[in-house]
Structures are given as C-alpha cells and as structure tokens.
Amino acid sequence: MNVEKLREDFPILKKPIIYFDSACMSLKPRQVIEKVSKYYTDYTACAGRSSHKFAHEVEIQVAGTRKEVKCLINAKRDSEIIFSKNTTESINLIANSFGLKPGDEVIISDKEHNSNLLPWLKLAKKGIKVVPVESNEDNTFNINNFEKAFTENTKLVSVVHTSNMDGVTNPVKEIVKIAHNNNAAVLVDAAQSVPSKEVDVQSLGVDFLAFSGHKALGPTGTGVLYGKKEMLEKLDQFLMGGETVVDSTYTGYEPEELPARFEAGLQNYAGIIGLGEACKYLKKVGLKNISRHEFKLNKMLSEAFADNEKISILGPKDPEQRAGIFSFIVSGMDIHDVSGMLSASRNIMLRSGAHCVHSWFNKRGLKGSVRASMYLYNTEEEAQAFIDELNKILKF
Amino acid sequence: MVLCLVALPVFAVLSIFSVKYRKLTKEAFDCLFKTVTFRKCRSGLDNRIRAVLTGRIIRLSPGIAKIFYKNYKIFSWVLFILLVWSFYVSFIGIHNYILYGNCNGPESSGFCIFDPTGSNSRISEIDYVIPANITYPVLEDDDPIIGDPKAELTIIEFGCYTCPYTKNAESTVQKIIDYYNGRVNVQFKTFVIPNHPFSTESALAADCALEQGKYYDYHKLLFDNQEKMNYDMLISLAGSLGMNMTQFTNCLEDEKYKFEVQDDTFMGLEAGVPGTPTFFIGKSKVVGPKPFKTFKNIIDEELKK
Ligand SMILES: Cc1ncc(COP(=O)(O)O)c(C=O)c1O
C-alpha cells in the first residue's frame, strides 16, 4: 500500500491539514467525487420508475453498487443490501420493524453510539427492556456478563462492532453464537468496522448489519442495512411510499419484493452510485492493508505516550485492539483545549467530546475524550507531527 | 468571561468584514448577557479563544504558549484594560472631532475615522475618472493672484463661485494669506462644476471684472451673494463696483473669456481635481475646505524647501 501515491487521489489533502477525524467522516477520493458528479452531469434520473435511457443507466449503476456492497461484506444475495441514509437510519429501521413487544428484551453493550442506544430507549417507553452489558475494566467486551444478560424474553442483540469511542472491536462471531443459542437475533453496528477491516457477514453469522457510506470513502448521506433474506422477509415495513409497494388501493397495498420494500421514495442516487465507487476503491487498496496501516499509525501514537502519566488512553493498552482510533484524556487539561490547540498550532483535525457515547462518559463523570482517528490516507509523518505537537502541550 | 468581554467588540468590528465573526460576536454577546444575568455560559467561547490563541503561539514558541495558557486570566485582564484604554482614546477622538473637526486633535491633519469623507473634506464632486498620469497645474499670468504677488509660495486653488465648499474655504484662504504675511499667495483658477447653475457664468463674469481691475472685490462679492446667484445678480454686482457696464455686459454676453475658463477647468482635470475646492501646494493636493492646520503643515514643509 503506497500511501503517498494514494493520497494523490484525495484532492482535499492538498491543503495543509492533518486530518485525524475519519471516524466521523472520511475524506473522499477523486474517483468517488467524479462518479457523483457524473450522475448530475450525464444521466440525472430516477431509477425504477421511468423507462428512458437515463433511468436505465441509473438502475444499472445502483444495481452495480448493490453488488459492490454485497461483495464488500460478503453477503449471499444482492437483495440483502438495503440502502439508507446512514447507520442511524438502518438501525432505526430494525428498531421499528423488528416487531418487539412490551416485555421483550434487547441487549446492547455499555458503549453504544447514540444511534444504537436511543432507538432502543425510545422503545423502552413502550415497555421493551433495554439491557446494557458492562464491559471489562479495559473496555473490552465481557462475554460472561453478556451470557448472563439473556433471559427467555431476549429477542435481539444490538451491539457495536468496532467502537467509535475507543476503537475496541467486539467479538461478534462469539456474540452471534451465544445469541443464536438463546434464540435472539443479532444486529451489528458496523459503522467503524466496514470502512477499515474485512467484514464477512456470512462468516460472522450476523442477522443484520448497519454501516454508513460516508465513513468509508463514500458520499455523505449514504448508509446500508444488510439483513439475511429470511430475516428481512419477517420484518414489517418501516418508511412507506414510492417503490415500497407493487400495488395499492384505497384500503390496502401489496408490498414490494426485497430490497425495494425498504427503500421508500426517491433515493440518494448520486450518493449510492458514488458509494459503489468507494467500495471499489476500498477493494483495490485492500481492507487487510488498511487495517494494518491503521495499526501501524496507532502503534506509533500509543508507544509514544504509553509511559506518559499525563495521558490516559481509552481502551486496552495494546494498540492492535484499538483499530485506527487513539482516544485519550490529558489529566488537568480540558479536552476541547487540547483539540483546539492542536488545530491552531498545526492544523491537526481531531474530535473532542463524548463522540455520541454520552452514556459511557456520564457514568464515569467524564466530559469526553480527545480522539484521533486515522485512516488509509494518513501518514507516519502526520502521526509524528501529532506526537510532537501533543508533547509540546503536555509540558504545560 | 473576561475573554468574552474582550472578544465582543473585537469580533463586532471583524464581523463587519466577515460572516464568520458575526456568529462569534453573537456568541460573545450571548455569553456576556448570560453572565450578567447570573446564568451559566455554556458556549465555552473563552476556552476556545484561549485554545486557538495558545495553539497559534505554540507555532512561535511553546514556552510562551505555556505561559499564556497558564496565565490567560492575567492576559485577558491586560487585554481588557487595553480595551478600556482604547475606548478612552476613542472617546478623546470623538471629543477632538466635535471640537476641531478632526479626531486627532487640532494639530493634526491625519485621517479621522469619524470623518472618513468628512465635512472637512467635502467638495462639489464631478463625475470624472481621475487620470492615471497627473499633470500638475502651473501658474499662469492671466489668472489673478490673491495676496502679495512677490510671495515665495503660490497655492493654486481650483474653485467654483457657486460651490458652497469653495465658499467655506474662503476664510481659511484669507487666514493663510494673513498668517504668512507676504510669503504665501493664492492663484484662483475657476473649475466649472457642470451641475451647478451659474458656475460657468460666474467664472466668466469674474474674468470680465479682472479686465476692469475689479477682480478682488468682485471675487468677494460673488461668494457673499452665492445663495442668491443669478444672471442679473452678476451684472448688478458689477454695477455696485462702478464698472463700465457696457463693457462688462458685452464681455459677459459674448463669453469673451470662455476659452480661459475652459482651459482652467481642463488644467484641473488633468491634475486630477476631483471637485471643488482643491488646492495644490507644491505637489501636495488638499481636497476640501480643510482646517487651517492642515494647510499650515504642508505650507511649512514647502517653505523649508
Ligand atoms: C459506531 C457508530 N455507530 C453509529 C454511528 C452513526 O453513524 P451515522 O451518523 O452515519 O448514522 C457512528 C458515527 O459516528 C458510529 O461511529
């Protein structure tokens, strides 16, 4: 993987910045930008409804993306890929359509992003029980606690794959095995894992998996829900509208086939088409290479500050367990001060705050952390610059 | 909080130029408002400002950045005091402006923010693009000199008899001549302002008066009667000075000095005169009825040469 060469594909990297906020939003390669632009300049149209040349082209392109996504996560069928606007919408679809009833229980982890917490808390108002599983001391997943959380009412497990807060990846394969033994389905929030590691839904055995295109080099407002065919077929429809039904009368309707029945209204065609290009790009670079690269950078940062008593890193000590995320707190210094100073001194773009995992920080009485999230286009020079700049601040 | 207080006026001024600062100004104001109404300001604006400033200073020197970060409260108080001081200075400026027409005080001719186009600089403008290459005006024998003809320095004035600002400058011109007591005189060149009624006629009339040796008195009468100016007035004023009326009326009606007046105006245009009154003192241009001090500064420099 030649990072220098690959960086040339990212026009925005011509700016004098060190972009360490890819867990929130990835930068976009030229190929994706051009593909999106091409939709708007060459064949702007609806898919599925019209029968002219442009509409055909859109249909072909959208189908192409579906295939790309299917390959990316190794789904069995194209129809198991549903486009949404983001991870959040994908999870909300399940929360609204899974058919949970009062008394049913949903297990989540104790460090879910708000988008995998709030949809369930909303259901809790209707009598559905939400059971968070407490993690280990070092923030890794506690399988024992997980097993103990099951009751006969447990219908669904919804856990994050790789945490956006500390980069820890949960043992989804094991989680699935246990859940299935307890007759519960599994939804995985893969917003952070799909962009930077090989995710194989069949080998993991998950029932549903959600991720966002915009964190994986894709255009903004693109999301995916994967579901096993037999599971998707059991779901109630969520958003209703154009393309979700075959036919309708004043009193009823006949739902469309998969996946159309879950894709209501005109879609974000340009975005979806761009997402296909992003998948191709990821495949070309190789997800294994990306993981390895992220680890290399995270190792640099982790080792540089391992013995610094002013810095506490969130999650386990071993950077191999924290993907491309280096989340930390500087003792005696406000998190926003740290990110603000690094931004002003060297244009290092970090995120400081609770990273939408307020629940975890609130329980510990913390305001949040500073997070450097690295991706395929970040370089060792950038990591070193971050280390140098942070070291200056640590002397304060 | 103190930083917010400092930030507010700074951002307010910057927000004139940039939308980004408008948002920050609003934030600073909100923060201040909340603070004075004993509520918590959660915007963290002062912390953000501190972080950004510290970050910028790190580029120069991490050591100084550390000092700033650790002592930012002191620094913000210093900034606050500077701010209060600048308010004080502004107040003095306003005070001077009210008293002397210039915010830098009576001794200065500097730019005054309160008078950017300023009454002291107000002129009867012409709609004309000032040439890139300016040809400085020259003294001409056929134009009258006001003051001692043997003076060391001659100020060339482009004026219009029907222009109120030229009239405003008259007392200053007289003061200059009196003050320098024979060392400085003024050559008045008529610069026609097309949209002023009787601008051309009064200029022609003044030349007709010159022909009869009555220029100085007529020049003065024209300004004294500026508000009531009309064609008959031009003639009756000449009559009051005992001129030969046939000669004067013929001169005026025949536009005898038409080319003379036009030449003066052209000379002004070539010299980049934006309107009346405009003065040339050597190569310095003074636009508008500036205070005496403004002229004095330039004249003193010229006389030293
Ligand atoms: C782990 C995780 N889940 C969910 C989300 C929500 O993604 P989106 O805002 O694209 O719906 C994010 C985004 O930060 C995330 O990191």
Side-chain angles (χ1 to χ4, degrees):
Chain A
M1 184 171 144
N2 182 343
V3 180
E4 280 313 322
K5 187 146 190 319
L6 169 160
R7 279 173 72 88
E8 285 167 18
D9 289 334
F10 292 78
I12 206 167
L13 288 176
K14 291 206 177 69
K15 293 177 192 269
I17 52 160
I18 297 180
Y19 189 78
F20 274 180
D21 194 17
S22 298
C24 191
M25 173 65 70
S26 75
L27 304 179
K28 318 299 173 200
R30 185 174 39 78
Q31 290 87 336
V32 170
I33 299 167
E34 282 166 8
K35 192 85 180 177
V36 170
S37 165
K38 203 169 159 56
Y39 167 82
Y40 289 120
T41 50
D42 287 4
Y43 56 93
T44 315
C46 300
R49 305 160 197 240
S50 319
S51 58
H52 49 75
K53 215 161 94 183
F54 287 179
H56 271 312
E57 181 64 22
V58 177
E59 201 135 314
I60 290 167
Q61 293 290 343
V62 169
T65 297
R66 221 181 283 280
K67 203 165 274 311
E68 287 296 337
V69 173
K70 182 196 86 165
C71 295
L72 184 73
I73 59 173
N74 193 30
K76 216 183 225 163
R77 304 174 183 84
D78 293 1
S79 61
E80 292 175 330
I81 305 301
I82 293 156
F83 294 123
S84 64
K85 72 171 185 282
N86 47 33
T87 308
T88 306
E89 189 181 282
S90 298
I91 295 173
N92 273 278
L93 193 161
I94 300 295
N96 281 276
S97 304
F98 193 72
L100 291 168
K101 291 182 202 58
D104 287 349
E105 295 182 13
V106 178
I107 297 177
I108 61 172
S109 83
D110 65 350
K111 43 179 199 180
E112 294 302 334
H113 189 283
N114 276 335
S115 47
N116 194 26
L117 171 68
L118 305 184
W120 312 116
L121 290 185
K122 185 157 179 272
L123 292 181
K125 288 189 190 160
K126 291 192 200 148
I128 285 130
K129 194 169 165 203
V130 182
V131 186
V133 175
E134 201 169 321
S135 299
N136 292 318
E137 198 67 15
D138 68 351
N139 253 2
T140 51
F141 197 76
N142 187 317
I143 283 285
N144 282 337
N145 286 348
F146 177 62
E147 277 188 304
K148 276 188 253 157
F150 281 91
T151 71
E152 59 197 22
N153 295 323
T154 306
K155 293 282 165 11
L156 186 68
V157 173
S158 184
V159 287
V160 65
H161 192 186
T162 298
S163 163
N164 64 311
M165 183 185 85
D166 55 17
V168 170
T169 297
N170 289 333
V172 166
K173 210 166 179 166
E174 235 177 311
I175 289 170
V176 169
K177 208 181 280 165
I178 294 166
H180 285 176
N181 285 341
N182 287 278
N183 295 321
V186 178
L187 161 63
V188 168
D189 169 359
Q192 295 299 337
S193 55
V194 166
S196 46
K197 65 192 293 178
E198 277 187 338
V199 174
D200 180 332
V201 288
Q202 293 192 67
S203 128
L204 291 173
V206 297
D207 300 290
F208 304 105
L209 179 132
F211 69 93
S212 298
H214 37 252
K215 296 181 200 287
L217 309 181
T220 54
T222 54
V224 169
L225 174 68
Y226 155 82
K228 275 184 194 155
K229 179 167 176 279
E230 56 276 21
M231 297 302 284
L232 287 176
E233 274 167 349
K234 276 193 257 173
L235 291 184
D236 191 12
Q237 281 174 282
F238 174 41
L239 298 175
M240 300 301 292
E243 294 296 307
T244 57
V245 295
V246 181
D247 202 5
S248 64
T249 63
Y250 290 122
T251 50
Y253 58 85
E254 183 192 337
E256 249 295 1
E257 292 294 310
L258 287 176
R261 74 167 73 155
F262 294 113
E263 294 174 354
L266 279 184
Q267 298 293 293
N268 175 8
Y269 298 120
I272 292 170
I273 292 166
L275 176 60
E277 202 60 30
C279 292
K280 279 189 203 156
Y281 196 94
L282 289 175
K283 202 153 71 181
K284 191 178 79 189
V285 179
L287 283 148
K288 273 216 174 78
N289 291 330
I290 297 174
S291 313
R292 217 174 294 136
H293 181 65
E294 287 182 354
F295 166 60
K296 187 167 71 186
L297 299 180
N298 204 344
K299 188 159 170 261
M300 273 179 79
L301 305 196
S302 303
E303 282 174 358
F305 299 108
D307 300 324
N308 194 315
E309 69 259 17
K310 269 189 147 178
I311 293 245
S312 9
I313 300 171
L314 265 58
K317 261 201 145 29
D318 176 11
E320 189 140 29
Q321 292 186 59
R322 281 185 278 106
I325 289 177
F326 182 78
S327 195
F328 63 100
I329 294 169
V330 179
S331 72
M333 200 177 273
D334 185 85
I335 48 170
H336 302 304
D337 279 2
V338 176
S339 60
M341 284 190 265
L342 291 175
S343 161
S345 75
R346 194 79 179 256
N347 274 333
I348 302 176
M349 301 179 166
L350 305 164
R351 180 158 163 182
S352 52
H355 318 297
C356 296
V357 197
H358 301 82
S359 47
W360 188 89
F361 288 103
N362 282 336
K363 187 172 171 193
R364 286 153 184 83
L366 296 171
K367 213 167 126 183
S369 70
V370 187
R371 181 183 76 186
S373 50
M374 293 150 288
Y375 204 19
L376 48 94
Y377 35 66
N378 292 121
T379 62
E380 288 173 58
E381 289 76 40
E382 290 179 328
Q384 192 54 49
F386 171 85
I387 293 168
D388 294 344
E389 279 324 283
L390 183 55
N391 267 325
K392 287 181 195 164
I393 291 174
L394 291 178
K395 293 209 187 85
F396 280 19
Chain B
M1 159 38 206
V2 185
L3 262 183
C4 279
L5 214 59
V6 180
L8 181 58
V10 176
F11 287 159
V13 171
L14 289 174
S15 70
I16 298 171
F17 306 105
S18 153
V19 186
K20 181 173 106 184
Y21 289 105
R22 258 167 248 167
K23 198 170 152 268
L24 289 170
T25 307
K26 198 176 162 296
E27 240 181 83
F29 182 78
D30 277 353
C31 189
L32 194 63
F33 185 71
K34 286 210 174 101
T35 309
V36 297
T37 50
F38 302 107
R39 282 176 296 169
K40 204 165 157 53
C41 161
R42 287 177 65 180
S43 84
L45 180 65
D46 45 353
N47 284 347
R48 252 183 294 152
I49 297 171
R50 172 175 59 163
V52 169
L53 289 179
T54 313
R56 289 279 153 83
I57 304 170
I58 288 175
R59 290 187 195 181
L60 305 172
S61 151
I64 298 174
K66 174 180 174 174
I67 295 169
F68 174 78
Y69 186 77
K70 292 278 183 209
N71 303 292
Y72 94 101
K73 277 231 155 75
I74 298 170
F75 281 100
S76 20
W77 275 109
V78 170
L79 275 178
F80 181 66
I81 291 162
L82 282 177
L83 183 77
V84 172
W85 178 73
S86 74
F87 276 149
Y88 170 73
V89 171
S90 308
F91 171 77
I92 297 285
I94 295 168
H95 180 252
N96 278 337
Y97 172 69
I98 293 167
L99 277 191
Y100 310 112
N102 188 306
C103 40
N104 301 305
E107 296 298 322
S108 168
S109 61
F111 173 75
C112 174
I113 187 92
F114 303 116
D115 190 24
T117 58
S119 61
N120 292 337
S121 316
R122 197 157 310 148
I123 52 168
S124 293
E125 278 183 56
I126 49 159
D127 187 13
Y128 175 72
V129 182
I130 297 198
N133 296 318
I134 282 177
T135 314
Y136 286 95
V138 291
L139 289 173
E140 287 171 302
D141 288 335
D142 54 14
D143 284 322
I145 293 277
I146 305 169
D148 191 337
K150 293 196 294 291
E152 297 163 55
L153 176 69
T154 300
I155 297 172
I156 297 177
E157 176 183 3
F158 287 92
C160 160
Y161 287 111
T162 52
C163 156
Y165 311 116
T166 308
K167 181 178 174 174
N168 283 351
E170 274 301 285
S171 61
T172 312
V173 169
Q174 198 51 53
K175 193 171 169 189
I176 292 166
I177 291 167
D178 294 343
Y179 179 84
Y180 286 99
N181 196 19
R183 296 186 71 196
V184 176
N185 60 20
V186 175
Q187 179 161 77
F188 190 92
K189 291 180 183 292
T190 47
F191 188 83
V192 172
I193 303 293
N195 59 356
H196 277 184
F198 304 106
S199 179
T200 311
E201 289 82 341
S202 53
L204 292 168
D207 275 330
C208 295
L210 180 63
E211 193 183 58
Q212 299 196 37
K214 300 280 186 190
Y215 176 79
Y216 306 100
D217 294 333
Y218 195 72
H219 171 98
K220 198 169 169 310
L221 281 178
L222 283 176
F223 281 119
D224 288 347
N225 295 282
Q226 189 184 61
E227 289 82 1
K228 309 184 284 255
M229 191 51 64
N230 59 41
Y231 201 80
D232 292 340
M233 176 70 79
L234 291 173
I235 293 167
S236 67
L237 288 179
S240 73
L241 292 174
M243 289 189 216
N244 177 335
M245 290 315 286
T246 321
Q247 187 190 341
F248 183 86
T249 324
N250 285 344
C251 169
L252 186 56
E253 277 176 8
D254 294 342
E255 302 189 349
K256 184 171 173 187
Y257 293 101
K258 186 175 157 187
F259 293 112
E260 175 60 28
V261 168
Q262 275 178 2
D263 282 349
D264 279 357
T265 305
F266 274 124
M267 188 186 278
L269 292 174
E270 277 176 4
V273 168
T276 55
T278 297
F279 302 85
F280 285 88
I281 308 168
K283 293 211 161 167
S284 305
K285 184 162 76 174
V286 178
V287 179
K290 286 275 171 15
F292 174 69
K293 281 287 169 193
T294 311
F295 287 93
K296 186 173 179 295
N297 288 339
I298 303 170
I299 293 169
D300 288 348
E301 279 302 311
E302 267 318 299
L303 285 175
K304 266 191 233 152
K305 284 182 189 165

